[in-house]
PDB file of all heavy atoms in Angstrom:
ATOM      1  N   CYS A 125     -11.829 -26.891  -7.640  1.00 96.00           N
ATOM      2  CA  CYS A 125     -11.081 -26.179  -8.697  1.00 96.00           C
ATOM      3  C   CYS A 125     -10.340 -27.167  -9.613  1.00 96.00           C
ATOM      4  O   CYS A 125      -9.976 -28.254  -9.199  1.00 96.00           O
ATOM      5  CB  CYS A 125     -10.029 -25.233  -8.153  1.00 96.00           C
ATOM      6  SG  CYS A 125      -9.176 -24.207  -9.329  1.00 96.00           S
ATOM      7  N   ASN A 126     -10.325 -26.823 -10.897  1.00 96.00           N
ATOM      8  CA  ASN A 126      -9.853 -27.703 -11.817  1.00 96.00           C
ATOM      9  C   ASN A 126      -8.174 -27.420 -12.093  1.00 96.00           C
ATOM     10  O   ASN A 126      -7.416 -28.119 -12.760  1.00 96.00           O
ATOM     11  CB  ASN A 126     -10.359 -27.626 -13.357  1.00 96.00           C
ATOM     12  CG  ASN A 126     -10.189 -26.153 -13.783  1.00 96.00           C
ATOM     13  OD1 ASN A 126     -10.199 -25.265 -13.004  1.00 96.00           O
ATOM     14  ND2 ASN A 126     -10.220 -26.016 -15.112  1.00 96.00           N
ATOM     15  N   LEU A 127      -7.746 -26.605 -11.226  1.00 96.00           N
ATOM     16  CA  LEU A 127      -6.231 -26.383 -11.179  1.00 96.00           C
ATOM     17  C   LEU A 127      -5.753 -26.674  -9.761  1.00 96.00           C
ATOM     18  O   LEU A 127      -6.431 -26.922  -8.846  1.00 96.00           O
ATOM     19  CB  LEU A 127      -5.945 -24.830 -11.445  1.00 96.00           C
ATOM     20  CG  LEU A 127      -5.687 -24.434 -13.036  1.00 96.00           C
ATOM     21  CD1 LEU A 127      -6.836 -24.824 -13.843  1.00 96.00           C
ATOM     22  CD2 LEU A 127      -5.513 -22.903 -12.969  1.00 96.00           C
ATOM     23  N   ARG A 128      -4.323 -26.828  -9.818  1.00 94.00           N
ATOM     24  CA  ARG A 128      -3.687 -27.041  -8.421  1.00 94.00           C
ATOM     25  C   ARG A 128      -2.504 -26.126  -8.602  1.00 94.00           C
ATOM     26  O   ARG A 128      -1.237 -26.579  -8.555  1.00 94.00           O
ATOM     27  CB  ARG A 128      -3.253 -28.456  -8.377  1.00 94.00           C
ATOM     28  CG  ARG A 128      -4.314 -29.424  -8.065  1.00 94.00           C
ATOM     29  CD  ARG A 128      -4.937 -29.089  -6.609  1.00 94.00           C
ATOM     30  NE  ARG A 128      -6.107 -29.937  -6.308  1.00 94.00           N
ATOM     31  CZ  ARG A 128      -7.386 -29.873  -6.756  1.00 94.00           C
ATOM     32  NH1 ARG A 128      -7.778 -28.796  -7.390  1.00 94.00           N
ATOM     33  NH2 ARG A 128      -8.438 -30.618  -6.469  1.00 94.00           N
ATOM     34  N   CYS A 129      -2.758 -24.866  -8.469  1.00 92.00           N
ATOM     35  CA  CYS A 129      -1.570 -23.830  -8.520  1.00 92.00           C
ATOM     36  C   CYS A 129      -0.743 -24.104  -7.398  1.00 92.00           C
ATOM     37  O   CYS A 129      -1.190 -24.315  -6.182  1.00 92.00           O
ATOM     38  CB  CYS A 129      -2.058 -22.491  -8.488  1.00 92.00           C
ATOM     39  SG  CYS A 129      -3.152 -22.123  -9.964  1.00 92.00           S
ATOM     40  N   TYR A 131       1.175 -22.230  -5.486  1.00 84.00           N
ATOM     41  CA  TYR A 131       1.170 -21.353  -4.418  1.00 84.00           C
ATOM     42  C   TYR A 131      -0.220 -21.320  -3.754  1.00 84.00           C
ATOM     43  O   TYR A 131      -0.569 -20.425  -2.851  1.00 84.00           O
ATOM     44  CB  TYR A 131       1.596 -19.969  -4.762  1.00 84.00           C
ATOM     45  CG  TYR A 131       1.023 -19.462  -5.929  1.00 84.00           C
ATOM     46  CD1 TYR A 131      -0.297 -19.222  -5.951  1.00 84.00           C
ATOM     47  CD2 TYR A 131       1.730 -18.993  -7.090  1.00 84.00           C
ATOM     48  CE1 TYR A 131      -0.968 -18.632  -7.061  1.00 84.00           C
ATOM     49  CE2 TYR A 131       1.172 -18.574  -8.209  1.00 84.00           C
ATOM     50  CZ  TYR A 131      -0.210 -18.292  -8.159  1.00 84.00           C
ATOM     51  OH  TYR A 131      -0.892 -17.715  -9.366  1.00 84.00           O
ATOM     52  N   CYS A 132      -1.274 -22.033  -4.413  1.00 89.00           N
ATOM     53  CA  CYS A 132      -2.607 -21.833  -3.925  1.00 89.00           C
ATOM     54  C   CYS A 132      -2.820 -21.887  -2.401  1.00 89.00           C
ATOM     55  O   CYS A 132      -2.333 -22.858  -1.777  1.00 89.00           O
ATOM     56  CB  CYS A 132      -3.519 -22.780  -4.567  1.00 89.00           C
ATOM     57  SG  CYS A 132      -5.308 -22.618  -4.193  1.00 89.00           S
ATOM     58  N   ILE A 133      -3.443 -20.987  -1.824  1.00 86.00           N
ATOM     59  CA  ILE A 133      -3.622 -20.947  -0.410  1.00 86.00           C
ATOM     60  C   ILE A 133      -4.566 -22.126   0.051  1.00 86.00           C
ATOM     61  O   ILE A 133      -4.584 -22.480   1.224  1.00 86.00           O
ATOM     62  CB  ILE A 133      -4.204 -19.701   0.235  1.00 86.00           C
ATOM     63  CG1 ILE A 133      -5.589 -19.261  -0.586  1.00 86.00           C
ATOM     64  CG2 ILE A 133      -3.210 -18.565   0.055  1.00 86.00           C
ATOM     65  CD1 ILE A 133      -6.197 -18.069   0.244  1.00 86.00           C
ATOM     66  N   TYR A 134      -5.272 -22.758  -0.937  1.00 88.00           N
ATOM     67  CA  TYR A 134      -6.089 -23.829  -0.557  1.00 88.00           C
ATOM     68  C   TYR A 134      -5.439 -25.187  -0.826  1.00 88.00           C
ATOM     69  O   TYR A 134      -5.998 -26.369  -0.595  1.00 88.00           O
ATOM     70  CB  TYR A 134      -7.449 -23.946  -1.469  1.00 88.00           C
ATOM     71  CG  TYR A 134      -8.103 -22.497  -1.276  1.00 88.00           C
ATOM     72  CD1 TYR A 134      -8.442 -21.878  -2.483  1.00 88.00           C
ATOM     73  CD2 TYR A 134      -8.427 -21.979  -0.100  1.00 88.00           C
ATOM     74  CE1 TYR A 134      -9.040 -20.501  -2.377  1.00 88.00           C
ATOM     75  CE2 TYR A 134      -9.044 -20.758   0.006  1.00 88.00           C
ATOM     76  CZ  TYR A 134      -9.414 -20.066  -1.140  1.00 88.00           C
ATOM     77  OH  TYR A 134     -10.014 -18.876  -0.987  1.00 88.00           O
ATOM     78  N   HIS A 145      -8.627 -27.579  -0.927  1.00 89.00           N
ATOM     79  CA  HIS A 145      -9.501 -27.760  -1.940  1.00 89.00           C
ATOM     80  C   HIS A 145     -10.576 -28.814  -1.480  1.00 89.00           C
ATOM     81  O   HIS A 145     -10.165 -29.977  -0.860  1.00 89.00           O
ATOM     82  CB  HIS A 145      -8.739 -28.434  -3.169  1.00 89.00           C
ATOM     83  CG  HIS A 145      -7.821 -27.417  -3.867  1.00 89.00           C
ATOM     84  ND1 HIS A 145      -8.294 -26.265  -4.370  1.00 89.00           N
ATOM     85  CD2 HIS A 145      -6.492 -27.298  -3.852  1.00 89.00           C
ATOM     86  CE1 HIS A 145      -7.296 -25.650  -4.991  1.00 89.00           C
ATOM     87  NE2 HIS A 145      -6.215 -26.279  -4.613  1.00 89.00           N
ATOM     88  N   GLY A 178     -14.246 -18.644  -6.092  1.00 93.00           N
ATOM     89  CA  GLY A 178     -14.196 -20.056  -5.883  1.00 93.00           C
ATOM     90  C   GLY A 178     -13.106 -20.429  -4.766  1.00 93.00           C
ATOM     91  O   GLY A 178     -12.879 -19.626  -3.888  1.00 93.00           O
ATOM     92  N   GLY A 179     -12.441 -21.623  -5.077  1.00 93.00           N
ATOM     93  CA  GLY A 179     -12.419 -22.448  -6.214  1.00 93.00           C
ATOM     94  C   GLY A 179     -12.413 -21.703  -7.625  1.00 93.00           C
ATOM     95  O   GLY A 179     -12.059 -20.578  -7.654  1.00 93.00           O
ATOM     96  N   GLU A 180     -12.904 -22.529  -8.517  1.00 97.00           N
ATOM     97  CA  GLU A 180     -13.231 -21.886  -9.868  1.00 97.00           C
ATOM     98  C   GLU A 180     -14.587 -21.731 -10.085  1.00 97.00           C
ATOM     99  O   GLU A 180     -15.466 -22.675 -10.209  1.00 97.00           O
ATOM    100  CB  GLU A 180     -12.538 -22.934 -10.857  1.00 97.00           C
ATOM    101  CG  GLU A 180     -12.836 -22.558 -12.275  1.00 97.00           C
ATOM    102  CD  GLU A 180     -12.600 -21.050 -12.616  1.00 97.00           C
ATOM    103  OE1 GLU A 180     -11.581 -20.369 -12.178  1.00 97.00           O
ATOM    104  OE2 GLU A 180     -13.506 -20.498 -13.214  1.00 97.00           O
ATOM    105  N   ASN A 211      -9.938 -18.693 -13.230  1.00 96.00           N
ATOM    106  CA  ASN A 211      -8.699 -19.060 -13.839  1.00 96.00           C
ATOM    107  C   ASN A 211      -8.736 -18.997 -15.289  1.00 96.00           C
ATOM    108  O   ASN A 211      -7.743 -19.168 -16.006  1.00 96.00           O
ATOM    109  CB  ASN A 211      -8.114 -20.335 -13.321  1.00 96.00           C
ATOM    110  CG  ASN A 211      -9.031 -21.535 -13.602  1.00 96.00           C
ATOM    111  OD1 ASN A 211      -9.588 -21.636 -14.698  1.00 96.00           O
ATOM    112  ND2 ASN A 211      -9.250 -22.468 -12.596  1.00 96.00           N
ATOM    113  N   ARG A 245       1.021 -22.197 -12.102  1.00 93.00           N
ATOM    114  CA  ARG A 245      -0.379 -22.376 -12.439  1.00 93.00           C
ATOM    115  C   ARG A 245      -0.608 -23.590 -13.289  1.00 93.00           C
ATOM    116  O   ARG A 245      -0.275 -23.577 -14.640  1.00 93.00           O
ATOM    117  CB  ARG A 245      -0.897 -21.107 -13.224  1.00 93.00           C
ATOM    118  CG  ARG A 245      -0.816 -19.944 -12.197  1.00 93.00           C
ATOM    119  CD  ARG A 245      -1.620 -18.722 -12.732  1.00 93.00           C
ATOM    120  NE  ARG A 245      -3.069 -19.099 -12.720  1.00 93.00           N
ATOM    121  CZ  ARG A 245      -3.914 -19.016 -11.623  1.00 93.00           C
ATOM    122  NH1 ARG A 245      -3.364 -18.664 -10.514  1.00 93.00           N
ATOM    123  NH2 ARG A 245      -5.173 -19.194 -11.690  1.00 93.00           N
TER     124      ARG A 245
HETATM  125  S1  SF4 B1476      -7.088 -21.299  -9.843  1.00 78.07           S
HETATM  126 FE1  SF4 B1476      -7.153 -20.234  -7.816  1.00 78.07          FE
HETATM  127  S2  SF4 B1476      -8.307 -21.666  -6.451  1.00 78.07           S
HETATM  128 FE2  SF4 B1476      -7.677 -22.925  -8.267  1.00 78.07          FE
HETATM  129  S3  SF4 B1476      -5.753 -23.734  -7.733  1.00 78.07           S
HETATM  130 FE3  SF4 B1476      -5.158 -21.854  -8.732  1.00 78.07          FE
HETATM  131  S4  SF4 B1476      -5.067 -20.301  -7.047  1.00 78.07           S
HETATM  132 FE4  SF4 B1476      -6.100 -22.074  -6.286  1.00 78.07          FE
END
Side-chain angles (χ1 to χ4, degrees):
C125 188
N126 59 329
L127 266 56
R128 286 296 178 273
C129 303
Y131 51 60
C132 180
I133 54 169
Y134 308 124
H145 288 295
E180 172 44 47
N211 63 42
R245 298 196 64 83

